[in-house]
Amino acid sequence: MSANYSKSAFLYRQVRRGLQAGRYMPGQRIDPATLAEEFRTSPTPALFALYRLVGEGLVVDHARSGFYVPLLTEVAMRDLYDWMERLLLMACDSAPRPGTRVLPELESASTDDDVVKLTWKMFDAIAASTGQRSLHRAVKQANDQLAPIRRAKQSLLDDPLEELLLIARAWRARDMAALRRRLREYYGHRKTLVPQTVDLLNESSNRLH
């Protein structure tokens, strides 16, 4: 394995975690030279890592102006919500495999817990329980694309933890009918907030420039 490939894989993981953790917000530029300097490497591994993230839809390449976290339009955001909802409802059609974890940390969560991280885990667990690799892979990608949006729009939600707990309780009980209903409610609520979410993200993006 070449040194550049090893460094690129490391930087890929670091930026991906940063996207999930809210370090990089929608509309924010990610400069490969700055990334390389931060992690004490050359620009080449940084470029390789960013192009890999471009291929996964987590970063966009604006050619002359560089790499950015995607800043979605209302149509694109609704499409992404629709896609994630459809994937999770498909997962509900498959019986969970024996021994599937039920994420007990969700039941013991408090309002101070990282709801965005718990949301990622909840939806990943639902997809993983099907044993269908293609479905699980698609949910992982959509989950990653939605993570920066989830974090940025927290102020628009009254009680995101309670919504997640309702999903978790249906999942723990293996009540697929209730789980489908809770998922539809969850995404229905978020789709009604798309205009406000896009406005909020655009305002945040303007402050970054």
Side-chain angles (χ1 to χ4, degrees), residues 124-139:
D124 185 70
I126 292 172
S129 73
T130 68
Q132 298 179 32
R133 292 183 181 178
S134 296
L135 177 61
H136 188 197
R137 198 160 46 239
V139 167

Side-chain angles (χ1 to χ4, degrees), residues 2 14 22 25 36 43 46 55 69 78 85 92 98 114 125-126 160 168 170 177 181:
S2 71
Q14 291 300 313
M25 302 301 287
V69 182
R78 283 196 181 91
E85 180 182 9
C92 292
D114 188 342
I126 292 172
R181 184 173 67 255

Side-chain angles (χ1 to χ4, degrees), residues 186-201:
Y186 177 94
Y187 281 103
H189 182 200
R190 275 141 189 79
K191 281 182 265 192
T192 65
L193 293 174
V194 163
Q196 297 100 302
T197 304
V198 170
D199 286 346
L200 181 65
L201 295 177

Side-chain angles (χ1 to χ4, degrees), residues 38-100:
E38 179 183 354
F39 291 99
R40 300 181 181 181
T41 185
S42 68
T44 300
L47 283 169
F48 285 165
L50 290 171
Y51 279 124
R52 182 176 174 185
L53 291 160
V54 169
E56 295 179 0
L58 301 179
V59 172
V60 292
D61 180 6
H62 285 290
R64 293 181 181 178
S65 60
F67 298 91
Y68 289 82
V69 182
L71 188 61
L72 299 183
T73 63
E74 288 188 27
V75 171
M77 191 176 294
R78 283 196 181 91
D79 283 348
L80 185 53
Y81 279 140
D82 282 338
W83 176 235
M84 186 61 154
E85 180 182 9
R86 194 173 307 167
L87 288 170
L88 292 172
L89 291 174
M90 286 169 57
C92 292
D93 292 333
S94 300
R97 292 179 300 169
T100 300

Side-chain angles (χ1 to χ4, degrees), residues 143-164:
N143 231 352
D144 286 342
Q145 290 173 314
L146 283 167
I149 297 170
R150 290 177 186 138
R151 191 169 297 280
K153 74 171 193 313
Q154 287 294 88
S155 62
L156 298 176
L157 299 168
D158 293 330
D159 196 348
L161 178 57
E162 180 59 26
E163 288 182 292
L164 190 61

